[in-house]
Amino acid sequence: MGIIIRCSLVFLVANVVGMWEVNMGASAAGLSAAQCKEERRIGLNECKPVLYGKLPSPSCCERVRVSHIECVCPVITPKLAALIDVNRAIRLIEGCGRRVPRHFKCGSITTP
């Protein structure tokens, strides 16, 4: 798997799947495109070890809890979604203390 795909996978597992408690829209929350991009970058860096089979660190879990779904769902393509074991991701995210609703659609992913 290429490094870009791996980074995207980490980003998805740590910051997308864990952000399924819906917040207000990015614009309603006052977030700019640049702020969303920065939020994704930080999440990717904090949660990179998850890709390699490690459990989320406290800083990764914190990022999962505070990140905005509006910054992430728009970038979840079918190709990216196909790389994710959604059930594993849900277990990891719930282990960080964030609820994952059933049947929630985020980009090209729908939770079981």
Side-chain angles (χ1 to χ4, degrees):
M1 206 179 328
I3 190 69
I4 293 173
I5 299 294
R6 286 182 182 178
C7 289
S8 296
L9 178 62
V10 171
F11 162 69
L12 180 69
V13 170
N15 292 311
V16 177
V17 178
M19 291 185 276
W20 282 336
E21 282 184 347
V22 180
N23 298 317
M24 297 299 291
S27 59
L31 297 173
S32 69
Q35 288 169 314
C36 279
K37 183 177 180 180
E38 179 66 5
E39 194 168 278
R40 291 189 301 263
R41 185 193 66 76
I42 292 169
L44 214 147
N45 288 335
E46 291 295 327
C47 299
K48 199 173 287 187
V50 172
L51 175 65
Y52 302 103
K54 299 201 183 237
L55 293 175
S57 66
S59 60
C60 173
C61 281
E62 175 65 18
R63 180 56 34 197
V64 167
R65 289 189 297 270
V66 302
S67 294
H68 295 84
I69 192 169
E70 305 80 12
C71 292
V72 180
C73 285
V75 300
I76 306 306
T77 64
K79 191 173 186 177
L80 183 58
L83 299 173
I84 302 305
D85 176 350
V86 174
N87 291 321
R88 177 178 180 265
I90 290 170
R91 286 191 307 273
L92 291 170
I93 299 315
E94 287 181 340
C96 284
R98 189 146 193 181
R99 190 179 73 80
V100 180
R102 294 176 49 108
H103 309 295
F104 183 79
K105 184 156 177 59
C106 178
S108 294
I109 293 179
T110 301
T111 59

